[in-house]
Amino acid sequence: MKKLSLLFAAGLLILGGCADPSTTEESKEKAPSSNQNESKKEKTENEKPEKDAQPFKPLEPSEDAVSLDKTLSEKEQQNIPEMQAALVGNPERTVPVGETLADGVKDPSDGPLKDHRLVAYYGTPDSENMGILGEMEPEEYMKKLKEQTQAYSDADPDRPAVPTIELITTMAQSEPGPDGDYVRMTSEENIKRYVELAEKHDALVLLDIQLGTDTVMEQVKMVEKWLKHPHVHLAIDTEFHVAEGEKPGEDLGQVDGKEIQKAVEYVSELTEKNDLPDKFVLVHQFTGAVLTNKEAIQPTDNVEVAINFDGWGASADKQALYGKYIRNEPNQYGAFKIFYDKDVPVLEPEDVLKMEPSPAIINYQ
């Protein structure tokens, strides 16, 4: 596995990954009569149980919000941004501006990404240096998150945005720790606090796992009880998965897409068995080396997949690389990460939405 220093020397622009690792009971239904049972038997025998509706509320656009196709010029509607075109070759759009699905890609699910855009704030209460979540008290954090989310609902009122908490649940460490896997899980109290915060505000939660030397599936199983909540979903941080003898933050991590697909199928089975609303899995990628066999990652009928371009630096370079890793290597949905303190300049929502495909998830650190 290449060292970070070698990787950057090879010319990956001035981009970096996330950050250096730091330290009701249900009410019982009245039993139907025998006649009702007989009349419904034939109809329901081969039907799947009906799932609950998605447990979130998007932020409705302001009254004066205008659709993208009315705010952008004819040229902007026909062509992708110049910097994105630099690496993808063809500047002409293959899908309409604002469309989040790549060309020719379908979404058979009823997941959150199908008709909405998600805006997430990343971090952990265990560190002020790993994102916005650790810098603010929960209610203050949610207020700021909603403000940023509203900006996207207003910029594209045809796809209202949903506030989303991205909580680092297992955080990579520079030391092996008691389990020897270079990962420390945040407390159950912290997870509970933010799962309940999202529920209170009709928002979603992304549980982010950073892996260390542990496996994808072992980490997923550690958060399984929380994934059974209707509004909780999964994010996988690829760059922090290192081999034995290596350290997160010193050595660039890597995850095989086949291992991520095991997690997608596990979440899919979990969703089906527990009659949960359809879910999604977000996969972080800031360079090609951190995600191998990417084509192995496939959505299911009840789990959406989004690949998140997760680099920091010059925004023009980030737009170009989003084109390379998302538009040129289409999976299902694209996502885009913004660093308030490291991106130059920090892109406005209107600039983000012009990219192709338009990011279905925008997360901020």
Side-chain angles (χ1 to χ4, degrees), residues 77-323:
Q77 293 183 47
Q78 293 176 346
N79 297 322
I80 61 177
E82 182 178 351
M83 292 313 301
Q84 186 181 9
L87 281 181
V88 303
N90 182 10
E92 294 185 0
R93 292 189 181 276
T94 58
V95 297
V97 63
E99 175 59 64
T100 55
L101 280 170
D103 185 32
V105 177
K106 305 295 183 182
D107 182 356
S109 79
D110 292 314
L113 306 181
K114 194 165 190 175
D115 299 309
H116 303 90
R117 182 172 281 109
L118 311 187
V119 178
Y121 270 2
Y122 176 96
T124 171
D126 296 327
S127 172
E128 295 181 359
N129 301 317
M130 290 290 287
I132 307 167
L133 189 149
E135 300 172 1
M136 302 178 178
E137 291 300 314
E139 288 296 340
E140 180 187 8
Y141 159 89
M142 184 56 69
K143 179 181 178 182
K144 185 173 178 64
L145 170 58
K146 285 186 174 182
E147 290 173 353
Q148 186 65 78
T149 303
Q150 186 67 55
Y152 282 90
S153 285
D154 292 347
D156 185 6
D158 297 323
R159 188 175 292 273
V162 182
T164 304
I165 299 169
E166 187 168 2
L167 173 67
I168 304 173
T169 312
T170 58
M171 181 163 43
Q173 307 290 296
S174 58
E175 299 297 329
D179 295 331
D181 57 7
Y182 291 87
V183 172
R184 177 169 60 88
M185 187 170 182
T186 193
S187 69
E188 293 282 308
E189 290 78 12
N190 279 337
I191 301 175
K192 184 174 185 289
R193 180 181 300 119
Y194 285 92
V195 167
E196 290 180 348
L197 181 70
E199 188 172 28
K200 175 183 176 181
H201 289 274
D202 299 313
L204 296 175
V205 178
L206 258 175
L207 298 183
D208 185 278
I209 54 176
Q210 292 190 345
L211 304 176
T213 59
D214 205 356
T215 68
V216 174
M217 284 309 305
E218 285 299 318
Q219 293 284 296
V220 171
K221 290 174 182 178
M222 288 173 65
V223 299
E224 179 178 329
K225 62 175 283 187
W226 300 104
L227 291 173
K228 292 180 181 179
H229 287 248
H231 61 298
V232 177
H233 305 262
L234 178 68
I236 303 172
D237 241 331
T238 55
E239 67 180 281
F240 295 116
H241 183 235
V242 296
E244 294 294 336
E246 297 180 334
K247 294 182 178 181
E250 293 183 14
D251 300 278
L252 183 67
Q254 185 180 80
V255 177
D256 190 315
K258 295 177 181 178
E259 298 304 308
I260 290 177
Q261 185 60 20
K262 291 179 183 178
V264 172
E265 292 172 0
Y266 192 86
V267 173
S268 182
E269 185 175 353
L270 189 72
T271 301
E272 186 173 351
K273 283 184 175 181
N274 292 276
D275 296 332
L276 297 167
D278 291 348
K279 291 185 177 289
F280 69 92
V281 173
L282 177 71
V283 183
H284 290 276
Q285 178 188 16
F286 88 93
T287 186
V290 302
L291 185 56
T292 62
N293 291 318
K294 188 174 177 180
E295 66 279 0
I297 309 172
Q298 296 294 327
T300 71
D301 287 348
N302 56 13
V303 174
E304 300 165 319
V305 172
I307 307 297
N308 185 45
F309 179 69
D310 186 15
W312 57 264
S315 291
D317 294 339
K318 291 181 58 172
Q319 289 175 296
L321 289 174
Y322 178 88

Side-chain angles (χ1 to χ4, degrees), residues 303-359:
V303 174
E304 300 165 319
V305 172
I307 307 297
N308 185 45
F309 179 69
D310 186 15
W312 57 264
S315 291
D317 294 339
K318 291 181 58 172
Q319 289 175 296
L321 289 174
Y322 178 88
K324 177 180 181 179
Y325 295 123
I326 307 301
R327 186 180 191 259
N328 280 13
E329 300 175 1
N331 184 279
Q332 190 180 33
Y333 290 100
F336 190 76
K337 192 165 188 179
I338 293 176
F339 291 75
Y340 281 126
D341 298 330
K342 293 183 178 181
D343 286 356
V344 184
V346 175
L347 292 176
E348 295 295 331
E350 292 80 2
D351 296 317
V352 175
L353 300 183
K354 290 176 188 177
M355 294 190 295
E356 186 189 48
S358 186

